[in-house]
Amino acid sequence: MVKKVAIIGAGISGLASIRSCLEEGLEPTCFEKGEDIGGLWKFSTLVSSVNKRPDFSVTGQWDVTTEKDGKKESAIFDAVMICSGHHVYPHLPKESFPGLQLFKGKCFHSWDYKEPGKFKGKRVLVIGLGNSGCDIASELSHTAEQVIVSSRSGSWVMSRVWHGGYPWDMMFITRFETFLKNNLPTVISDWWYVKQMNARFKHENYGLMPLNGTLRKEPVFNDELPARILCGTVTVKPNVKEFTETSAIFEDGTVFEAIDCVIFATGYSYAYPFIDDSIIKSRDNEVTLFKGIFPPPLEKPTMAVIGLVQSLGAVIPTADLQSRWAVQVIKGTCTLPSVKDMMNDIDEKMGKKLKWFGKSDTIQTDYIVYMDELASFIGAKPSILWLFLTDPKLALEVYFGPCSPYQFRLVGPGKWPGARNAILTQWDRILKPTTTRIVGSPLKPCLFCSWFRPILISVLSIAAFLVLF
């Protein structure tokens, strides 16, 4: 009998889950606002509740109640995949800014920002130095009279164009880079990380330097912001101490007068109002999920949360691998560890997150390490040693080149015969869109050049340390 799976959310995570279900012969039903795509899936307006069936401990089934046009209906599903992501509810912390209730200008979240035209000639304060805040500030700097960005803790600002003009993720997210980061002595790893972040410009000179620069918090990707700061059209200030009717007083004592608008680029929160909190938040009101996917206390592992992680890697392959594993567990072809082992793993990961990202409750994770963990559960993790023994050319590209999603289609469920060739020719496809004026053969990066320098620097640093001490 074909198992029926309720997919809650029709974004990237939802579509990845639908695909994984179809690949494994499950029957997905997607609940989300939107139109039916080609008549393949049912889209409902609102999921009101998701509850365990009375015989859940035996069947693992769920009652999913939906509401459309004021009418409710309920259906039974063998499994539920929650794919609503983590950019759900705009977070606007007005209580953190004394005097904001006195401010007479406009005040809204970046979620409501649409276009820069209406801000022509205005004086705008953007609170938050994340991707949204930097994008909005850079765009407004071309039309507004003055733009100030207020940041509580600073941020690394990276360019999408990395060394040699290649895309940053193709050069930065590699297995060897990850190996160095996780295995070099902390002092060397931290020094090298800060050096990489400062490769384009010195963040101290632009007021952007993070308070704790060695933490691996998600950087901002913006190619324009440094230039706008350099031109004087964007100014960076510390956190706002308090507001008055027309101005903002910053923690350094400076004042931004006659503000027309305050835009809060303060991120988003996530919640699951349709499900009992005790399922997702099984301990101390924290979201407690094994590998960021499975609630440990469930008698039957028939619920999975897809897309509730954040890393430097791409969202689509992450959601794809999460859903591939989740579907195998739902089918029963993969089993989860005991509840005790899952909780111990969660505790261990929280300790590592505190070290790398500064917060134990963050949803941020190390991309390659996380992807390898997921892939190992379904037998899709490539064996680097075996590849070096059997296919050295592919092994070099897999280990020293970009960790592209093809790597997780080499073996295991969902294996793709074209994965090897796709990996070996990936740079051809990356360079093709930019080589529209032919002036010679496109130059691909040297696999060894990107890691020879850090190794040399590390060796020299260790040698200098030994000589001096």
Side-chain angles (χ1 to χ4, degrees):
M1 183 177 178
V2 177
K3 288 191 174 183
K4 297 182 178 180
V5 182
I7 311 289
I8 303 176
I12 290 173
S13 300
L15 294 177
S17 298
I18 290 170
R19 174 184 172 179
S20 295
C21 285
L22 294 176
E23 283 182 344
E24 295 298 327
L26 304 185
E27 183 182 323
T29 300
C30 190
F31 298 98
E32 179 69 19
K33 291 182 179 180
E35 298 179 356
D36 194 354
I37 304 176
L40 293 177
W41 310 297
K42 175 184 175 183
F43 282 73
S44 297
T45 303
L46 176 68
V47 174
S48 302
S49 64
V50 176
N51 297 298
K52 295 178 181 178
R53 298 272 299 160
D55 57 353
F56 179 83
S57 60
V58 177
T59 65
Q61 292 181 325
W62 301 84
D63 279 321
V64 178
T65 303
T66 58
E67 183 176 343
K68 185 174 184 179
D69 299 327
K71 297 180 180 180
K72 289 188 176 183
E73 64 177 66
S74 185
I76 300 172
F77 289 91
D78 297 297
V80 174
M81 299 176 74
I82 302 173
C83 309
S84 52
H86 53 88
H87 293 111
V88 184
Y89 304 105
H91 177 58
L92 212 167
K94 292 184 177 181
E95 68 283 353
S96 300
F97 297 93
L100 186 59
Q101 70 277 10
L102 304 174
F103 180 65
K104 293 184 176 180
K106 292 183 178 180
C107 175
F108 60 89
H109 192 272
S110 58
W111 186 82
D112 295 307
Y113 175 85
K114 304 303 178 186
E115 52 88 23
K118 62 177 67 175
F119 297 93
K120 186 174 183 178
K122 303 292 185 181
R123 295 167 63 82
V124 182
L125 171 62
V126 179
I127 295 180
L129 196 63
N131 284 296
S132 296
C134 291
D135 286 346
I136 290 172
S138 299
E139 187 171 68
L140 287 180
S141 67
H142 295 279
T143 56
E145 177 186 321
Q146 187 173 1
V147 178
I148 286 184
V149 179
S150 169
S151 174
R152 181 178 57 188
S153 57
S155 182
W156 293 117
V157 179
M158 292 176 65
S159 172
R160 294 174 179 85
V161 182
W162 202 242
H163 300 308
Y166 300 107
W168 77 271
D169 54 340
M170 297 288 283
M171 301 295 292
F172 192 80
I173 304 178
T174 71
R175 291 182 176 277
F176 190 70
E177 285 271 357
T178 299
F179 172 81
L180 289 180
K181 180 190 71 175
N182 292 334
N183 291 279
L184 282 175
T186 301
V187 63
I188 296 176
S189 176
D190 288 348
W191 171 80
W192 179 244
Y193 177 74
V194 172
K195 185 174 178 62
Q196 285 181 308
M197 295 298 102
N198 265 328
R200 183 182 172 205
F201 64 93
K202 302 299 181 185
H203 284 65
E204 300 93 324
N205 298 342
Y206 288 72
L208 297 170
M209 183 71 180
L211 293 180
N212 190 338
T214 60
L215 292 179
R216 270 56 166 181
K217 292 183 178 180
E218 183 185 21
V220 170
F221 291 92
N222 192 295
D223 295 280
E224 190 179 11
L225 182 65
R228 305 314 297 169
I229 295 174
L230 196 62
C231 293
T233 55
V234 173
T235 303
V236 181
K237 288 287 185 179
N239 196 35
V240 174
K241 181 180 179 181
E242 65 176 312
F243 283 93
T244 66
E245 292 184 350
T246 60
S247 63
I249 303 172
F250 301 102
E251 289 182 345
D252 62 357
T254 57
V255 181
F256 185 24
E257 302 277 4
I259 303 174
D260 294 297
C261 181
V262 178
I263 302 176
F264 284 86
T266 44
Y268 295 80
S269 59
Y270 53 87
Y272 307 103
F274 47 82
I275 194 168
D276 190 328
D277 267 355
S278 65
I279 295 177
I280 302 293
K281 300 179 179 179
S282 60
R283 185 179 61 183
D284 300 329
N285 203 37
E286 293 179 348
V287 173
T288 312
L289 300 170
F290 179 58
K291 303 302 181 186
I293 302 174
F294 293 103
L298 289 179
E299 303 97 313
K300 297 287 184 179
T302 56
M303 173 173 283
V305 179
I306 307 299
L308 192 63
V309 294
Q310 188 170 313
S311 70
L312 278 182
V315 175
I316 295 176
T318 305
D320 177 62
L321 202 48
Q322 283 185 322
S323 60
R324 285 168 63 191
W325 178 35
V327 165
Q328 295 296 327
V329 172
I330 291 169
K331 284 180 61 180
T333 52
C334 281
T335 58
L336 296 181
S338 67
V339 173
K340 181 181 178 181
D341 288 343
M342 287 192 282
M343 296 304 293
N344 287 341
D345 181 83
I346 291 170
D347 290 337
E348 181 185 346
K349 292 297 187 293
M350 283 184 174
K352 290 182 178 179
K353 287 180 178 181
L354 186 62
K355 173 188 176 182
W356 287 110
F357 310 119
K359 294 191 300 180
S360 62
D361 61 343
T362 181
I363 59 174
Q364 195 166 345
T365 188
D366 186 313
Y367 178 70
I368 293 179
V369 172
Y370 182 67
M371 293 289 278
D372 277 348
E373 285 182 341
L374 299 185
S376 64
F377 283 108
I378 60 173
K381 178 184 175 181
S383 171
I384 306 301
L385 178 59
W386 179 251
L387 285 178
F388 271 111
L389 293 174
T390 60
D391 195 340
K393 182 179 181 181
L394 178 62
L396 288 172
E397 190 69 40
V398 167
Y399 193 64
F400 296 107
C403 185
S404 50
Y406 308 124
Q407 293 190 13
F408 303 103
R409 294 284 180 175
L410 287 169
V411 293
K415 176 182 177 181
W416 177 42
R420 180 185 185 277
N421 183 63
I423 292 171
L424 296 177
T425 59
Q426 57 193 349
W427 279 108
D428 295 332
R429 292 185 295 283
I430 290 296
L431 296 175
K432 186 175 178 59
T434 61
T435 53
T436 53
R437 175 175 171 261
I438 307 300
V439 291
S441 300
L443 299 176
K444 302 176 185 178
C446 172
L447 289 178
F448 303 100
C449 294
S450 61
W451 61 265
F452 177 76
R453 184 168 51 182
I455 283 186
L456 179 61
I457 292 174
S458 299
V459 170
L460 292 177
S461 299
I462 294 172
F465 180 82
L466 294 175
V467 170
L468 293 174
F469 299 97

PDB file of all heavy atoms in Angstrom, residues 87 89-94 106-114 127 132 136 261-269:
ATOM      1  N   HIS A  87      12.263  31.464   7.598  1.00  0.00           N
ATOM      2  CA  HIS A  87      11.941  32.868   7.322  1.00  0.00           C
ATOM      3  C   HIS A  87      10.426  32.989   7.223  1.00  0.00           C
ATOM      4  O   HIS A  87       9.862  33.179   6.146  1.00  0.00           O
ATOM      5  CB  HIS A  87      12.608  33.335   6.028  1.00  0.00           C
ATOM      6  CG  HIS A  87      14.100  33.394   6.117  1.00  0.00           C
ATOM      7  ND1 HIS A  87      14.933  32.536   5.426  1.00  0.00           N
ATOM      8  CD2 HIS A  87      14.914  34.180   6.844  1.00  0.00           C
ATOM      9  CE1 HIS A  87      16.191  32.817   5.709  1.00  0.00           C
ATOM     10  NE2 HIS A  87      16.209  33.814   6.573  1.00  0.00           N
ATOM     11  N   TYR A  89       8.000  34.450  10.138  1.00  0.00           N
ATOM     12  CA  TYR A  89       7.358  35.595  10.773  1.00  0.00           C
ATOM     13  C   TYR A  89       8.374  36.726  10.962  1.00  0.00           C
ATOM     14  O   TYR A  89       9.398  36.520  11.622  1.00  0.00           O
ATOM     15  CB  TYR A  89       6.774  35.209  12.138  1.00  0.00           C
ATOM     16  CG  TYR A  89       5.805  34.052  12.062  1.00  0.00           C
ATOM     17  CD1 TYR A  89       6.170  32.774  12.495  1.00  0.00           C
ATOM     18  CD2 TYR A  89       4.519  34.225  11.542  1.00  0.00           C
ATOM     19  CE1 TYR A  89       5.287  31.713  12.420  1.00  0.00           C
ATOM     20  CE2 TYR A  89       3.634  33.170  11.461  1.00  0.00           C
ATOM     21  CZ  TYR A  89       4.022  31.910  11.902  1.00  0.00           C
ATOM     22  OH  TYR A  89       3.143  30.866  11.817  1.00  0.00           O
ATOM     23  N   PRO A  90       8.130  37.911  10.398  1.00  0.00           N
ATOM     24  CA  PRO A  90       9.050  39.040  10.583  1.00  0.00           C
ATOM     25  C   PRO A  90       9.270  39.337  12.066  1.00  0.00           C
ATOM     26  O   PRO A  90       8.322  39.425  12.837  1.00  0.00           O
ATOM     27  CB  PRO A  90       8.327  40.202   9.888  1.00  0.00           C
ATOM     28  CG  PRO A  90       7.443  39.547   8.881  1.00  0.00           C
ATOM     29  CD  PRO A  90       6.987  38.268   9.515  1.00  0.00           C
ATOM     30  N   HIS A  91      10.535  39.460  12.445  1.00  0.00           N
ATOM     31  CA  HIS A  91      10.899  39.737  13.842  1.00  0.00           C
ATOM     32  C   HIS A  91      11.160  41.232  13.994  1.00  0.00           C
ATOM     33  O   HIS A  91      12.119  41.762  13.422  1.00  0.00           O
ATOM     34  CB  HIS A  91      12.141  38.931  14.224  1.00  0.00           C
ATOM     35  CG  HIS A  91      12.633  39.209  15.606  1.00  0.00           C
ATOM     36  ND1 HIS A  91      11.853  39.043  16.725  1.00  0.00           N
ATOM     37  CD2 HIS A  91      13.846  39.650  16.068  1.00  0.00           C
ATOM     38  CE1 HIS A  91      12.532  39.350  17.812  1.00  0.00           C
ATOM     39  NE2 HIS A  91      13.750  39.724  17.433  1.00  0.00           N
ATOM     40  N   LEU A  92      10.317  41.917  14.742  1.00  0.00           N
ATOM     41  CA  LEU A  92      10.439  43.357  14.923  1.00  0.00           C
ATOM     42  C   LEU A  92      10.516  43.653  16.425  1.00  0.00           C
ATOM     43  O   LEU A  92       9.495  43.821  17.090  1.00  0.00           O
ATOM     44  CB  LEU A  92       9.235  44.075  14.294  1.00  0.00           C
ATOM     45  CG  LEU A  92       9.474  45.475  13.718  1.00  0.00           C
ATOM     46  CD1 LEU A  92       8.307  45.912  12.860  1.00  0.00           C
ATOM     47  CD2 LEU A  92       9.733  46.486  14.822  1.00  0.00           C
ATOM     48  N   PRO A  93      11.732  43.734  16.970  1.00  0.00           N
ATOM     49  CA  PRO A  93      11.917  43.870  18.423  1.00  0.00           C
ATOM     50  C   PRO A  93      11.790  45.312  18.921  1.00  0.00           C
ATOM     51  O   PRO A  93      12.756  45.919  19.406  1.00  0.00           O
ATOM     52  CB  PRO A  93      13.332  43.331  18.629  1.00  0.00           C
ATOM     53  CG  PRO A  93      14.041  43.697  17.365  1.00  0.00           C
ATOM     54  CD  PRO A  93      13.014  43.609  16.261  1.00  0.00           C
ATOM     55  N   LYS A  94      10.598  45.860  18.827  1.00  0.00           N
ATOM     56  CA  LYS A  94      10.390  47.255  19.223  1.00  0.00           C
ATOM     57  C   LYS A  94      10.723  47.501  20.687  1.00  0.00           C
ATOM     58  O   LYS A  94      11.172  48.593  21.068  1.00  0.00           O
ATOM     59  CB  LYS A  94       8.936  47.660  18.945  1.00  0.00           C
ATOM     60  CG  LYS A  94       8.586  47.742  17.464  1.00  0.00           C
ATOM     61  CD  LYS A  94       7.163  48.253  17.260  1.00  0.00           C
ATOM     62  CE  LYS A  94       6.839  48.408  15.780  1.00  0.00           C
ATOM     63  NZ  LYS A  94       5.467  48.937  15.560  1.00  0.00           N
ATOM     64  N   LYS A 106       7.957  57.024   9.776  1.00  0.00           N
ATOM     65  CA  LYS A 106       7.499  55.672   9.435  1.00  0.00           C
ATOM     66  C   LYS A 106       8.455  54.632  10.023  1.00  0.00           C
ATOM     67  O   LYS A 106       9.647  54.860  10.155  1.00  0.00           O
ATOM     68  CB  LYS A 106       7.425  55.511   7.917  1.00  0.00           C
ATOM     69  CG  LYS A 106       6.339  56.352   7.269  1.00  0.00           C
ATOM     70  CD  LYS A 106       6.279  56.089   5.763  1.00  0.00           C
ATOM     71  CE  LYS A 106       5.159  56.902   5.114  1.00  0.00           C
ATOM     72  NZ  LYS A 106       5.087  56.664   3.650  1.00  0.00           N
ATOM     73  N   CYS A 107       7.888  53.477  10.353  1.00  0.00           N
ATOM     74  CA  CYS A 107       8.656  52.410  10.959  1.00  0.00           C
ATOM     75  C   CYS A 107       8.075  51.076  10.501  1.00  0.00           C
ATOM     76  O   CYS A 107       6.891  50.810  10.713  1.00  0.00           O
ATOM     77  CB  CYS A 107       8.604  52.548  12.482  1.00  0.00           C
ATOM     78  SG  CYS A 107       9.385  51.215  13.376  1.00  0.00           S
ATOM     79  N   PHE A 108       8.880  50.242   9.849  1.00  0.00           N
ATOM     80  CA  PHE A 108       8.368  48.958   9.382  1.00  0.00           C
ATOM     81  C   PHE A 108       9.502  47.954   9.214  1.00  0.00           C
ATOM     82  O   PHE A 108      10.685  48.307   9.229  1.00  0.00           O
ATOM     83  CB  PHE A 108       7.592  49.117   8.069  1.00  0.00           C
ATOM     84  CG  PHE A 108       8.399  49.674   6.925  1.00  0.00           C
ATOM     85  CD1 PHE A 108       9.105  48.835   6.075  1.00  0.00           C
ATOM     86  CD2 PHE A 108       8.445  51.041   6.684  1.00  0.00           C
ATOM     87  CE1 PHE A 108       9.847  49.335   5.016  1.00  0.00           C
ATOM     88  CE2 PHE A 108       9.179  51.556   5.631  1.00  0.00           C
ATOM     89  CZ  PHE A 108       9.879  50.701   4.791  1.00  0.00           C
ATOM     90  N   HIS A 109       9.140  46.682   9.044  1.00  0.00           N
ATOM     91  CA  HIS A 109      10.108  45.601   8.860  1.00  0.00           C
ATOM     92  C   HIS A 109      10.527  45.516   7.395  1.00  0.00           C
ATOM     93  O   HIS A 109       9.766  45.889   6.488  1.00  0.00           O
ATOM     94  CB  HIS A 109       9.494  44.268   9.311  1.00  0.00           C
ATOM     95  CG  HIS A 109      10.479  43.154   9.442  1.00  0.00           C
ATOM     96  ND1 HIS A 109      10.812  42.332   8.378  1.00  0.00           N
ATOM     97  CD2 HIS A 109      11.210  42.720  10.499  1.00  0.00           C
ATOM     98  CE1 HIS A 109      11.705  41.444   8.787  1.00  0.00           C
ATOM     99  NE2 HIS A 109      11.960  41.647  10.061  1.00  0.00           N
ATOM    100  N   SER A 110      11.723  45.015   7.161  1.00  0.00           N
ATOM    101  CA  SER A 110      12.237  44.900   5.790  1.00  0.00           C
ATOM    102  C   SER A 110      11.351  44.019   4.918  1.00  0.00           C
ATOM    103  O   SER A 110      11.397  44.117   3.686  1.00  0.00           O
ATOM    104  CB  SER A 110      13.665  44.338   5.816  1.00  0.00           C
ATOM    105  OG  SER A 110      13.702  43.074   6.471  1.00  0.00           O
ATOM    106  N   TRP A 111      10.550  43.149   5.538  1.00  0.00           N
ATOM    107  CA  TRP A 111       9.628  42.301   4.780  1.00  0.00           C
ATOM    108  C   TRP A 111       8.659  43.143   3.953  1.00  0.00           C
ATOM    109  O   TRP A 111       8.211  42.720   2.884  1.00  0.00           O
ATOM    110  CB  TRP A 111       8.851  41.405   5.750  1.00  0.00           C
ATOM    111  CG  TRP A 111       7.975  40.392   5.098  1.00  0.00           C
ATOM    112  CD1 TRP A 111       8.342  39.175   4.602  1.00  0.00           C
ATOM    113  CD2 TRP A 111       6.562  40.491   4.867  1.00  0.00           C
ATOM    114  NE1 TRP A 111       7.259  38.515   4.081  1.00  0.00           N
ATOM    115  CE2 TRP A 111       6.145  39.293   4.234  1.00  0.00           C
ATOM    116  CE3 TRP A 111       5.605  41.474   5.137  1.00  0.00           C
ATOM    117  CZ2 TRP A 111       4.828  39.071   3.864  1.00  0.00           C
ATOM    118  CZ3 TRP A 111       4.285  41.243   4.778  1.00  0.00           C
ATOM    119  CH2 TRP A 111       3.918  40.048   4.153  1.00  0.00           C
ATOM    120  N   ASP A 112       8.358  44.365   4.427  1.00  0.00           N
ATOM    121  CA  ASP A 112       7.415  45.249   3.742  1.00  0.00           C
ATOM    122  C   ASP A 112       8.090  46.172   2.735  1.00  0.00           C
ATOM    123  O   ASP A 112       7.418  46.954   2.059  1.00  0.00           O
ATOM    124  CB  ASP A 112       6.644  46.103   4.765  1.00  0.00           C
ATOM    125  CG  ASP A 112       5.752  45.263   5.662  1.00  0.00           C
ATOM    126  OD1 ASP A 112       4.943  44.489   5.118  1.00  0.00           O
ATOM    127  OD2 ASP A 112       5.874  45.362   6.896  1.00  0.00           O
ATOM    128  N   TYR A 113       9.415  46.115   2.645  1.00  0.00           N
ATOM    129  CA  TYR A 113      10.125  46.953   1.676  1.00  0.00           C
ATOM    130  C   TYR A 113       9.948  46.388   0.268  1.00  0.00           C
ATOM    131  O   TYR A 113      10.163  45.195   0.047  1.00  0.00           O
ATOM    132  CB  TYR A 113      11.609  47.008   2.032  1.00  0.00           C
ATOM    133  CG  TYR A 113      12.457  47.757   1.030  1.00  0.00           C
ATOM    134  CD1 TYR A 113      12.590  49.136   1.095  1.00  0.00           C
ATOM    135  CD2 TYR A 113      13.119  47.076   0.002  1.00  0.00           C
ATOM    136  CE1 TYR A 113      13.375  49.825   0.169  1.00  0.00           C
ATOM    137  CE2 TYR A 113      13.910  47.747  -0.917  1.00  0.00           C
ATOM    138  CZ  TYR A 113      14.026  49.119  -0.830  1.00  0.00           C
ATOM    139  OH  TYR A 113      14.791  49.795  -1.756  1.00  0.00           O
ATOM    140  N   LYS A 114       9.565  47.245  -0.670  1.00  0.00           N
ATOM    141  CA  LYS A 114       9.309  46.780  -2.036  1.00  0.00           C
ATOM    142  C   LYS A 114      10.237  47.415  -3.074  1.00  0.00           C
ATOM    143  O   LYS A 114      10.814  46.727  -3.899  1.00  0.00           O
ATOM    144  CB  LYS A 114       7.846  47.060  -2.416  1.00  0.00           C
ATOM    145  CG  LYS A 114       6.812  46.450  -1.458  1.00  0.00           C
ATOM    146  CD  LYS A 114       6.976  44.944  -1.324  1.00  0.00           C
ATOM    147  CE  LYS A 114       5.968  44.363  -0.333  1.00  0.00           C
ATOM    148  NZ  LYS A 114       6.194  42.922  -0.081  1.00  0.00           N
ATOM    149  N   ILE A 127      18.106  49.358  10.495  1.00  0.00           N
ATOM    150  CA  ILE A 127      18.607  48.665  11.676  1.00  0.00           C
ATOM    151  C   ILE A 127      18.827  47.192  11.337  1.00  0.00           C
ATOM    152  O   ILE A 127      17.888  46.478  10.998  1.00  0.00           O
ATOM    153  CB  ILE A 127      17.631  48.805  12.852  1.00  0.00           C
ATOM    154  CG1 ILE A 127      17.536  50.281  13.278  1.00  0.00           C
ATOM    155  CG2 ILE A 127      18.067  47.937  14.034  1.00  0.00           C
ATOM    156  CD1 ILE A 127      16.604  50.534  14.421  1.00  0.00           C
ATOM    157  N   SER A 132      19.502  41.357   4.200  1.00  0.00           N
ATOM    158  CA  SER A 132      18.418  42.265   3.834  1.00  0.00           C
ATOM    159  C   SER A 132      18.793  43.709   4.120  1.00  0.00           C
ATOM    160  O   SER A 132      18.582  44.603   3.289  1.00  0.00           O
ATOM    161  CB  SER A 132      17.141  41.907   4.602  1.00  0.00           C
ATOM    162  OG  SER A 132      16.678  40.631   4.249  1.00  0.00           O
ATOM    163  N   ILE A 136      19.130  46.557   1.195  1.00  0.00           N
ATOM    164  CA  ILE A 136      18.233  47.716   1.216  1.00  0.00           C
ATOM    165  C   ILE A 136      19.037  49.007   1.321  1.00  0.00           C
ATOM    166  O   ILE A 136      18.779  49.982   0.593  1.00  0.00           O
ATOM    167  CB  ILE A 136      17.232  47.595   2.379  1.00  0.00           C
ATOM    168  CG1 ILE A 136      16.239  46.467   2.099  1.00  0.00           C
ATOM    169  CG2 ILE A 136      16.488  48.912   2.601  1.00  0.00           C
ATOM    170  CD1 ILE A 136      15.329  46.138   3.264  1.00  0.00           C
ATOM    171  N   CYS A 261      12.298  57.697   8.033  1.00  0.00           N
ATOM    172  CA  CYS A 261      11.858  56.300   8.055  1.00  0.00           C
ATOM    173  C   CYS A 261      12.890  55.403   8.732  1.00  0.00           C
ATOM    174  O   CYS A 261      14.098  55.600   8.546  1.00  0.00           O
ATOM    175  CB  CYS A 261      11.608  55.816   6.627  1.00  0.00           C
ATOM    176  SG  CYS A 261      11.025  54.127   6.517  1.00  0.00           S
ATOM    177  N   VAL A 262      12.389  54.458   9.515  1.00  0.00           N
ATOM    178  CA  VAL A 262      13.242  53.441  10.122  1.00  0.00           C
ATOM    179  C   VAL A 262      12.822  52.073   9.576  1.00  0.00           C
ATOM    180  O   VAL A 262      11.649  51.702   9.657  1.00  0.00           O
ATOM    181  CB  VAL A 262      13.133  53.430  11.660  1.00  0.00           C
ATOM    182  CG1 VAL A 262      14.000  52.313  12.242  1.00  0.00           C
ATOM    183  CG2 VAL A 262      13.540  54.774  12.237  1.00  0.00           C
ATOM    184  N   ILE A 263      13.782  51.367   8.991  1.00  0.00           N
ATOM    185  CA  ILE A 263      13.517  50.040   8.445  1.00  0.00           C
ATOM    186  C   ILE A 263      14.226  49.014   9.314  1.00  0.00           C
ATOM    187  O   ILE A 263      15.452  49.040   9.452  1.00  0.00           O
ATOM    188  CB  ILE A 263      14.003  49.918   6.987  1.00  0.00           C
ATOM    189  CG1 ILE A 263      13.326  50.981   6.112  1.00  0.00           C
ATOM    190  CG2 ILE A 263      13.710  48.520   6.441  1.00  0.00           C
ATOM    191  CD1 ILE A 263      13.817  51.007   4.676  1.00  0.00           C
ATOM    192  N   PHE A 264      13.458  48.106   9.904  1.00  0.00           N
ATOM    193  CA  PHE A 264      14.021  47.067  10.760  1.00  0.00           C
ATOM    194  C   PHE A 264      14.342  45.823   9.916  1.00  0.00           C
ATOM    195  O   PHE A 264      13.449  45.076   9.539  1.00  0.00           O
ATOM    196  CB  PHE A 264      13.041  46.700  11.866  1.00  0.00           C
ATOM    197  CG  PHE A 264      12.970  47.707  12.985  1.00  0.00           C
ATOM    198  CD1 PHE A 264      12.123  48.797  12.898  1.00  0.00           C
ATOM    199  CD2 PHE A 264      13.777  47.569  14.112  1.00  0.00           C
ATOM    200  CE1 PHE A 264      12.066  49.735  13.920  1.00  0.00           C
ATOM    201  CE2 PHE A 264      13.719  48.496  15.138  1.00  0.00           C
ATOM    202  CZ  PHE A 264      12.877  49.588  15.045  1.00  0.00           C
ATOM    203  N   ALA A 265      15.625  45.633   9.631  1.00  0.00           N
ATOM    204  CA  ALA A 265      16.072  44.415   8.944  1.00  0.00           C
ATOM    205  C   ALA A 265      16.590  43.463  10.023  1.00  0.00           C
ATOM    206  O   ALA A 265      17.780  43.134  10.083  1.00  0.00           O
ATOM    207  CB  ALA A 265      17.157  44.749   7.927  1.00  0.00           C
ATOM    208  N   THR A 266      15.692  43.051  10.882  1.00  0.00           N
ATOM    209  CA  THR A 266      16.048  42.318  12.101  1.00  0.00           C
ATOM    210  C   THR A 266      15.678  40.839  12.031  1.00  0.00           C
ATOM    211  O   THR A 266      15.496  40.177  13.060  1.00  0.00           O
ATOM    212  CB  THR A 266      15.380  42.983  13.320  1.00  0.00           C
ATOM    213  OG1 THR A 266      14.017  43.302  12.999  1.00  0.00           O
ATOM    214  CG2 THR A 266      16.102  44.265  13.686  1.00  0.00           C
ATOM    215  N   GLY A 267      15.543  40.330  10.823  1.00  0.00           N
ATOM    216  CA  GLY A 267      15.381  38.893  10.651  1.00  0.00           C
ATOM    217  C   GLY A 267      13.974  38.380  10.873  1.00  0.00           C
ATOM    218  O   GLY A 267      13.006  39.156  10.937  1.00  0.00           O
ATOM    219  N   TYR A 268      13.897  37.074  11.009  1.00  0.00           N
ATOM    220  CA  TYR A 268      12.609  36.389  11.095  1.00  0.00           C
ATOM    221  C   TYR A 268      12.634  35.359  12.219  1.00  0.00           C
ATOM    222  O   TYR A 268      13.692  34.939  12.676  1.00  0.00           O
ATOM    223  CB  TYR A 268      12.294  35.682   9.775  1.00  0.00           C
ATOM    224  CG  TYR A 268      12.107  36.629   8.607  1.00  0.00           C
ATOM    225  CD1 TYR A 268      13.215  37.157   7.942  1.00  0.00           C
ATOM    226  CD2 TYR A 268      10.839  36.997   8.184  1.00  0.00           C
ATOM    227  CE1 TYR A 268      13.060  38.036   6.883  1.00  0.00           C
ATOM    228  CE2 TYR A 268      10.673  37.871   7.124  1.00  0.00           C
ATOM    229  CZ  TYR A 268      11.784  38.388   6.478  1.00  0.00           C
ATOM    230  OH  TYR A 268      11.621  39.255   5.445  1.00  0.00           O
ATOM    231  N   SER A 269      11.464  34.976  12.647  1.00  0.00           N
ATOM    232  CA  SER A 269      11.333  33.883  13.604  1.00  0.00           C
ATOM    233  C   SER A 269      10.499  32.783  12.947  1.00  0.00           C
ATOM    234  O   SER A 269       9.897  32.988  11.894  1.00  0.00           O
ATOM    235  CB  SER A 269      10.657  34.359  14.891  1.00  0.00           C
ATOM    236  OG  SER A 269       9.364  34.878  14.627  1.00  0.00           O
TER     237      SER A 269
END
